[in-house]
């Protein structure tokens, strides 16, 4: 649909408000305001129904790794739809796109992560993981090992399983989560929770919270620990360097399974194919989705190590999805992986884009509103604060300043998301250095306007 054929924005907004229930949205309030309607995208840029151009600092929802507008993926989808638009992988059948993608993922994934169970999304893949790790221990004759340890403010999706693994208080407050058998420990968020400790001390302390929890509930009851290498939806929280080595030591010591939720960190975001490689950790299972297809098709999965896959294979695993390994999604994912690989996009993140972003992003720390500005690979965040020296929160409560800043970002042609009062970005991996410069310019303007706004409202007050 070309822009000239698009009905006026107000008409689209009215239809949207009348019939479309948005995820993670107060739909009543949105209906009053009217949704922003995105009509087209190319590279790292979006166009809305008013013809305004925006830099997409979030790659959609952390997924459009290769950028928008790659016709090769459209062609891969069309080709596959003509040849075999759908078939399932139940009942001892397979098809070429699913098996080829599984083999390709086994080749890309480190160590003996050689087996793939497909899902339609990251949430579904984490639901699979819950059942798979419990079934693994049952087949090992240790059915009492059912508890999964996860983290507060982690994000693992929005299904009952995924939302329960996640540690989002606002989600747990609705609809009966977490489900039984999932417990949470604190996150390695130094800026917000580190107190007087150095980041390294704090990273160790928060890793040891895992050991304390294991000992509290009994090592013989623990199935697995799940975590994101870098927390995404929690606010791009980059753990201190001391954190992951200590977690790995603890996981090894007690022989529990490690699930790395790579839904954001997979497929190049941290400058390696997987975030686990970037942190030197050795998971038994990796959750994947988002960048697997660059969001061009919905697809997720679990990449599983030999030991777990071979154990699961001993019996029928009574689990699967109609769209597990969907042929069109798999064909598109394969084309996406080909582009990531052949265009050396992952190495370019490591060698060029990530170091460039790290420098440019760090320049924002001189802004009066910014407490810290941190990045890892092409994930970055900054903490808004009324008082840098004490790392203070705002008296008005979390999320107000962040919301104001996000609105100014939109007005300046930049999609930057807020999580409470952290501003976060995760742009397409193909972002050029000049677009990084432009992104930073727009962010700085938005920060200036936010500061002015907060002063005007008398809101630059520490809690
Ligand atoms: C987005 C996300 C999920 C959930 O994926 P969906 O495709 O939205 O179900 C799970 N884990 C992490 C780390 C995510 O960022």
């Amino acid at each position: 649909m070309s822009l000239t054929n698009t009905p006026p924005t107000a008409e689209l907004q009215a239809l949207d408000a009348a019939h479309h229930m948005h995820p993670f949205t107060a739909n009543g309030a949105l209906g009053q305001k009217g949704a922003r309607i995105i009509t087209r995208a190319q590279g790292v840029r979006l166009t809305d129904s008013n013809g305004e151009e925006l830099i997409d600092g979030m790659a959609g929802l952390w997924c459009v790794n290769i950028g928008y507008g790659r016709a090769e993926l459209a062609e891969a989808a069309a080709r596959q739809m003509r040849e075999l638009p759908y078939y399932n992988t139940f009942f001892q059948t397979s098809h070429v796109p699913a098996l080829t993608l599984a083999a390709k993922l086994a080749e890309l994934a480190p160590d003996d992560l050689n087996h793939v169970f497909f899902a339609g999304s990251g949430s579904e893949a984490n639901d699979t993981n819950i059942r798979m790790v419990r079934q693994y221990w049952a087949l090992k004759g240790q059915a009492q090992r059912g508890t999964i340890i996860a983290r507060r403010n982690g994000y693992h999706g929005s299904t009952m399983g995924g939302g329960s693994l996640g540690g989002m208080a606002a989600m747990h407050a609705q609809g009966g989560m977490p489900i039984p058998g999932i417990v949470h420990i604190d996150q390695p968020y130094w800026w917000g929770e580190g107190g007087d400790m150095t980041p390294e001390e704090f990273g160790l302390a928060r890793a040891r919270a895992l050991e304390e929890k294991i000992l509290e509930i009994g090592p013989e009851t623990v199935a697995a620990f799940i975590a994101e290498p870098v927390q995404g939806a929690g606010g791009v929280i980059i753990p201190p360097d001391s954190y992951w080595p200590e977690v790995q030591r603890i996981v090894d010591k007690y022989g529990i399974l490690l699930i790395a939720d790579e839904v954001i960190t997979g497929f190049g975001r941290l400058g390696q194919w997987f975030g686990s490689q970037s942190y030197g950790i050795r998971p038994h299972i990796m959750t994947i989705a988002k960048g697997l297809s660059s969001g061009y098709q919905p697809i997720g999965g679990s990449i599983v190590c030999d030991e777990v896959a071979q154990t699961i294979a001993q019996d029928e695993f009574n689990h699967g999805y109609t769209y597990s390994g969907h042929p069109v999604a798999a064909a598109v994912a394969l084309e996406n992986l080909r582009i990531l690989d052949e265009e050396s996009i992952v190495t370019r993140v490591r060698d060029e884009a990530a170091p460039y972003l790290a420098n440019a992003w760090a320049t924002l720390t001189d802004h009066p509103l910014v407490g810290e500005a941190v990045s890892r690979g092409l994930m970055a965040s900054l903490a808004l604060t009324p008082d840098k020296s004490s790392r203070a929160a705002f008296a008005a409560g979390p999320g107000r300043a962040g919301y104001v800043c996000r609105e100014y970002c939109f007005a300046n042609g930049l999609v930057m998301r807020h999580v409470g009062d952290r501003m976060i970005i995760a742009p397409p991996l193909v972002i050029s250095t000049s677009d990084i410069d432009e992104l930073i310019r727009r962010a700085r303007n938005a920060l200036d306007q936010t500061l002015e706004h907060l002063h005007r409202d008398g809101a630059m007050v520490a809690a």
Side-chain angles (χ1 to χ4, degrees):
M1 186 159 57
S2 80
L3 196 61
T4 45
N5 291 330
T6 306
T9 298
E11 214 174 290
L12 297 169
Q13 287 172 326
L15 278 175
D16 190 73
H19 304 294
H20 182 197
M21 298 170 77
H22 291 248
F24 288 100
T25 299
N27 278 282
L30 177 64
Q32 297 292 311
K33 185 183 177 198
R36 179 183 294 268
I37 294 163
I38 305 300
T39 50
R40 286 175 299 156
Q42 185 65 38
V44 301
R45 284 176 162 74
L46 308 169
T47 306
D48 73 13
S49 55
N50 295 325
E52 307 254 3
E53 170 257 318
L54 297 142
I55 293 181
D56 185 5
M58 284 304 300
L61 275 179
W62 327 83
C63 50
V64 189
N65 286 13
I66 61 167
Y68 297 94
R70 293 297 300 248
E72 300 94 320
L73 273 63
E75 275 143 29
R79 218 168 26 241
Q80 187 57 47
M81 280 197 195
R82 288 193 190 97
E83 195 170 308
L84 180 71
Y86 176 75
Y87 202 69
N88 67 79
T89 51
F90 294 18
F91 317 131
Q92 307 186 348
T93 63
S94 196
H95 52 69
V96 176
L99 66 91
T100 310
L101 180 59
K104 179 71 188 170
L105 289 167
E107 180 194 317
L108 290 173
D111 303 326
D112 66 345
L113 290 158
N114 288 323
H115 313 268
V116 185
F117 194 104
F118 286 112
S121 67
S123 303
E124 286 180 9
N126 278 326
D127 281 25
T128 297
N129 294 339
I130 294 173
R131 301 195 60 207
M132 192 183 297
V133 298
R134 289 177 176 165
Q135 170 69 355
Y136 169 81
W137 287 115
L139 288 165
K140 288 279 180 191
Q142 300 184 54
Q144 79 288 353
R145 275 192 183 256
T147 302
I148 300 168
I149 303 176
R151 302 185 301 181
R152 292 188 190 95
N153 202 38
Y155 188 78
H156 301 293
S158 193
T159 51
M160 287 299 286
S164 295
L165 291 172
M168 298 295 179
M171 291 175 70
H172 289 181
Q174 300 172 347
M177 295 193 287
I179 57 172
I182 294 169
V183 296
H184 296 85
I185 58 173
D186 283 330
Q187 58 179 334
Y189 179 28
W190 177 79
W191 165 268
E193 302 174 2
D196 293 334
M197 285 189 225
T198 66
E200 295 317 298
E201 288 165 354
F202 181 71
L204 280 181
R206 284 293 158 93
R208 285 177 190 153
L210 174 60
E211 187 158 30
E212 286 155 22
K213 181 59 81 179
I214 292 170
L215 293 172
E216 176 197 323
I217 63 179
E220 71 287 351
T221 69
V222 180
F225 174 60
I226 183 169
E228 307 155 79
V230 170
Q231 285 157 266
V236 180
I237 292 168
I238 299 164
D241 287 340
S242 57
Y243 182 76
W244 273 114
E246 184 66 3
V247 167
Q248 183 71 54
R249 181 192 69 76
I250 293 163
V251 160
D252 291 345
K253 178 172 171 189
Y254 295 97
I256 66 174
L257 298 175
L258 176 60
I259 307 167
D261 188 334
E262 296 266 6
V263 168
I264 289 174
T265 51
F267 307 103
R269 181 139 307 273
L270 300 186
Q272 305 271 348
W273 277 94
F274 297 95
S276 294
Q277 295 166 306
S278 172
Y279 280 98
I281 51 179
R282 299 182 305 280
H284 300 90
I285 299 176
M286 296 195 304
T287 319
I288 55 171
K290 293 186 177 139
L292 169 57
S293 65
S294 282
Y296 281 55
Q297 283 284 291
I299 182 168
S302 306
I303 313 185
V304 181
C305 71
D306 289 341
E307 159 66 16
V308 171
Q310 283 157 9
T311 303
I312 291 294
Q314 290 166 15
D315 198 357
E316 181 164 341
F317 186 34
N318 298 313
H319 174 74
Y321 307 105
T322 299
Y323 298 133
S324 284
H326 191 286
V328 178
V332 168
L334 275 165
E335 187 62 10
N336 174 59
L337 296 179
R338 187 191 65 73
I339 288 174
L340 281 171
D341 194 12
E342 284 180 14
E343 298 182 9
S344 304
I345 291 171
V346 180
T347 15
R348 189 195 153 255
V349 170
R350 185 191 66 201
D351 297 339
E352 184 186 335
Y356 193 89
L357 177 70
N359 280 327
W361 191 252
T363 63
L364 295 172
T365 41
D366 69 9
H367 195 278
L369 248 189
V370 174
E372 67 166 1
V374 292
S375 73
R376 176 114 184 179
L378 288 189
M379 295 173 85
S381 57
L382 45 85
L384 305 182
T385 177
D387 178 15
K388 290 170 182 267
S389 59
S390 64
R391 313 207 304 264
F394 288 92
R400 222 191 110 210
Y403 178 82
V404 169
C405 186
R406 188 193 70 185
E407 293 301 286
Y408 282 117
C409 286
F410 269 133
N412 281 281
L414 171 62
V415 179
M416 177 153 72
R417 177 167 156 189
H418 80 105
V419 176
D421 295 319
R422 284 187 87 77
M423 305 306 301
I424 64 177
I425 58 159
L429 305 187
V430 295
I431 191 169
S432 67
T433 52
S434 63
D435 279 340
I436 291 175
D437 290 339
E438 182 58 25
L439 183 157
I440 301 285
R441 252 193 307 278
R442 293 180 188 188
R444 188 175 278 282
N445 285 341
L447 286 166
D448 287 344
Q449 290 160 347
T450 303
L451 179 63
E452 226 179 272
H453 184 116
L454 295 177
H455 274 310
R456 218 163 40 234
D457 282 5
M460 282 297 283
V461 181

